[in-house]
């Protein structure tokens, strides 16, 4: 991330001789705050600046526990706004907060360039991009069938050891993108048909009928019932996926082309962020005691250690998966 940022002329500052009041806005993902802010929390009493915004990017406690509130009442004491990636995430996390919650949605908006890139609609399905860090076997099955029929497949993701920063020019090569999550918003803003499917299964092509439900679940392929509990969704076979890709293609092109302006309005960061800033409320900070500050610092240290262990576990799982694949090939 640092290399990408520096290539775009963004300067990194690696010292902490700051105070919270030196900033107009402080945006925190996963309740992480720099140590210099934690050390100076007691000095914020009665002030209205800076503006703190806390963002939560998942609804899955068993996969992303670090996206849930980890420090008791920290946000209620500091946040002018609490941001959630989807209605699903807000619904699941709301019980963790008291009545002072000031929620807004921040639905993985796409960079401006995806909304202004000129993309021509296609008549035939010839090239497909699969973007996934957890590719299910049914998509591997679909890939084999598609390639046999002459469709060119490109895959990106953790299991394929292939990554790149997705740009509008790269997406424009493809007639359909099979993916979930944030890549969906990129496709929506660029007007490219997207087939929502991954390890939670999925509805496939987005349509007028299924769009709102997919949106509230962060275009994840998940399905949620009452009280935001999981509703099991049947997985599709590789053959079913291929059939849907071909038979629904022209309808998908029509949907994404006709809705592109609306999608840009809803998911381009140039439209989303100003609305967020405009709706920020004035917020006066209460006093933090010495013991509260020390406990918050300790919780930050603990969560950092826990996250590091989680990353190591992910690396071990990846190594095991690669060894299993090598053994399978040897057989």
């Amino acid at each position: 991330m640092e290399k990408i940022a520096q290539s775009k002329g963004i300067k990194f500052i690696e010292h902490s001789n700051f105070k919270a009041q030196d900033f107009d806005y402080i945006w925190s993902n996963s309740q992480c705050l720099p140590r210099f802010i934690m050390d100076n929390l007691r000095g914020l009493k009665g002030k209205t600046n800076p503006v703190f915004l806390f963002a939560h990017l998942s609804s899955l406690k068993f996969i992303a526990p670090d996206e849930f509130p980890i420090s008791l009442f920290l946000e209620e004491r500091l946040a002018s706004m609490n941001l959630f990636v989807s209605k699903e995430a807000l619904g699941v996390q709301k019980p963790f907060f008291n009545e002072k919650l000031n929620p807004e949605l921040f639905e993985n908006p796409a960079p401006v360039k995806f909304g202004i890139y000129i993309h021509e609609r296609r008549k035939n399905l010839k090239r497909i991009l699969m973007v996934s860090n957890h590719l299910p076997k049914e998509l591997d099955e679909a890939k084999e069938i598609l390639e046999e029929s002459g469709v060119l497949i490109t895959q990106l993701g953790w299991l394929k050891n292939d990554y790149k920063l997705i740009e509008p020019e790269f997406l424009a090569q493809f007639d359909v993108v099979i993916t979930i999550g944030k890549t969906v918003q990129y496709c929506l803003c660029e007007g490219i048909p997207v087939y929502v499917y991954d390890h939670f299964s999925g509805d496939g092509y987005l349509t007028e009928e299924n769009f709102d439900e997919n949106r509230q679940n962060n275009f994840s392929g998940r399905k949620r019932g009452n009280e935001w509990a999981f509703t099991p969704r049947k997985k599709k076979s590789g053959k079913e996926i291929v059939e849907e890709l071909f038979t629904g293609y022209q309808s998908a092109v029509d949907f994404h082309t006709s809705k592109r302006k609306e999608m840009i309005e809803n998911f381009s960061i140039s439209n989303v962020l100003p609305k967020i800033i405009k709706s920020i409320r004035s917020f006066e900070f209460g006093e933090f005691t010495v013991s509260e500050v020390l406990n918050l610092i300790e919780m930050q240290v603990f969560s950092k250690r826990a996250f590091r262990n989680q990353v190591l576990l992910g690396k071990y799982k990846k190594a095991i998966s690669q060894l299993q694949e090598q053994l399978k090939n040897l057989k």
Side-chain angles (χ1 to χ4, degrees):
M1 287 177 63
E2 184 175 357
K3 287 179 182 177
I4 293 168
Q6 288 175 338
S7 72
K8 297 179 181 294
I10 297 172
K11 184 179 179 182
F12 274 67
I13 301 172
E14 297 185 1
H15 63 83
S16 57
N17 296 323
F18 298 113
K19 295 180 181 178
Q21 298 93 311
D22 293 334
F23 300 90
D24 299 313
Y25 298 92
I26 295 176
W27 183 293
S28 167
N29 285 343
S30 312
Q31 277 199 353
C32 289
L33 290 173
R35 180 61 182 265
F36 73 86
I37 293 178
M38 306 296 280
D39 287 339
N40 289 282
L41 283 176
R42 297 195 71 209
L44 290 177
K45 180 186 176 184
K47 296 181 182 294
T48 56
N49 283 316
V51 170
F52 281 89
L53 302 100
F54 287 82
H56 300 273
L57 308 179
S58 178
S59 61
L60 303 178
K61 192 163 182 59
F62 60 94
I63 291 177
D66 47 302
E67 291 295 345
F68 281 65
I70 56 174
S71 299
L72 187 65
F73 302 139
L74 176 66
E75 288 188 48
E76 289 89 336
R77 301 278 288 280
L78 290 178
S80 292
M81 185 174 290
N82 314 82
L83 297 158
F84 298 88
V85 73
S86 64
K87 288 183 178 179
E88 176 193 32
L90 172 57
V92 170
Q93 294 202 32
K94 195 172 182 179
F96 288 80
F97 297 89
N98 64 22
E99 69 280 359
K100 292 183 179 179
L101 184 70
N102 183 32
E104 290 287 342
L105 297 182
F106 191 72
E107 301 173 283
N108 272 334
V112 178
K113 54 191 171 184
F114 287 90
I116 61 178
Y117 188 87
I118 297 173
H119 182 267
E120 297 179 3
R121 61 180 292 159
R122 315 281 171 74
K123 290 184 178 180
N124 299 306
L125 177 55
K126 296 179 179 178
R127 296 195 66 177
I128 292 176
L129 173 66
M130 293 183 181
V131 182
S132 174
N133 286 326
H134 16 63
L135 198 75
K137 64 178 182 179
E138 53 266 35
L139 283 183
D140 266 337
E141 293 169 2
K143 176 178 178 288
E144 289 184 16
I145 300 171
L146 288 164
E147 287 179 330
E148 287 174 2
S149 66
V151 177
L152 297 174
I153 306 292
T154 299
Q155 291 180 302
L156 294 181
W158 181 59
L159 294 176
K160 298 301 174 183
N161 278 318
D162 196 358
Y163 299 90
K164 68 167 71 252
L165 186 65
I166 293 180
E167 301 283 4
E169 296 82 2
F170 174 71
L171 281 186
Q173 303 174 67
F174 303 100
D175 306 311
V176 168
V177 178
I178 302 175
T179 191
I180 58 172
K182 185 164 186 171
T183 314
V184 174
Q185 280 88 334
Y186 290 1
C187 295
L188 294 175
C189 287
E190 195 166 337
I192 298 173
V194 58
Y195 187 94
V196 176
Y197 196 92
D198 208 292
H199 60 159
F200 292 116
S201 184
D203 277 325
Y205 282 126
L206 293 173
T207 65
E208 198 80 50
E209 292 71 34
N210 68 27
F211 184 83
D212 287 341
E213 183 179 34
N214 276 276
R215 179 180 182 176
Q216 80 165 13
N217 295 324
N218 192 28
F219 301 109
S220 60
R222 291 189 294 274
K223 196 174 182 67
R224 292 274 187 168
N226 294 331
E227 304 300 323
W228 298 103
F230 270 113
T231 301
R233 185 194 286 273
K234 181 185 175 185
K235 290 184 177 292
K236 299 176 182 180
S237 68
K239 187 177 180 181
E240 286 175 315
I241 291 169
V242 171
E243 185 176 345
E244 288 182 7
L245 283 166
F246 281 110
T247 58
Y249 178 63
Q250 284 305 321
S251 294
V253 171
D254 292 340
F255 176 79
H256 285 273
T257 302
S258 65
K259 293 287 184 180
R260 187 180 182 189
K261 185 177 179 181
E262 181 183 331
M263 299 305 173
I264 292 169
E265 180 64 30
N266 288 328
F267 300 112
S268 174
I269 198 164
S270 59
N271 295 317
V272 173
L273 196 55
K275 292 176 184 176
I276 292 290
I277 300 299
K278 188 176 179 180
S279 59
I280 289 173
R281 66 180 179 180
S282 177
F283 193 85
E284 193 168 295
F285 306 115
E287 185 175 13
F288 283 83
T289 66
V290 173
S291 61
E292 285 175 328
V293 172
L294 289 173
N295 275 281
L296 287 170
I297 291 172
E298 184 58 30
M299 179 52 79
Q300 291 279 26
V301 172
F302 175 80
S303 62
K304 183 178 180 180
R305 186 184 305 139
F307 182 73
R308 185 167 61 243
N309 290 338
Q310 190 178 7
V311 170
L312 285 172
L313 181 61
K315 289 181 178 179
Y316 294 147
K317 286 182 177 179
K318 182 178 180 180
I320 291 170
S321 176
Q322 290 172 340
L323 286 171
Q324 288 173 334
E325 189 66 27
Q326 289 171 6
L327 287 170
K328 182 180 173 183
N329 292 336
L330 286 172
K331 289 178 182 179

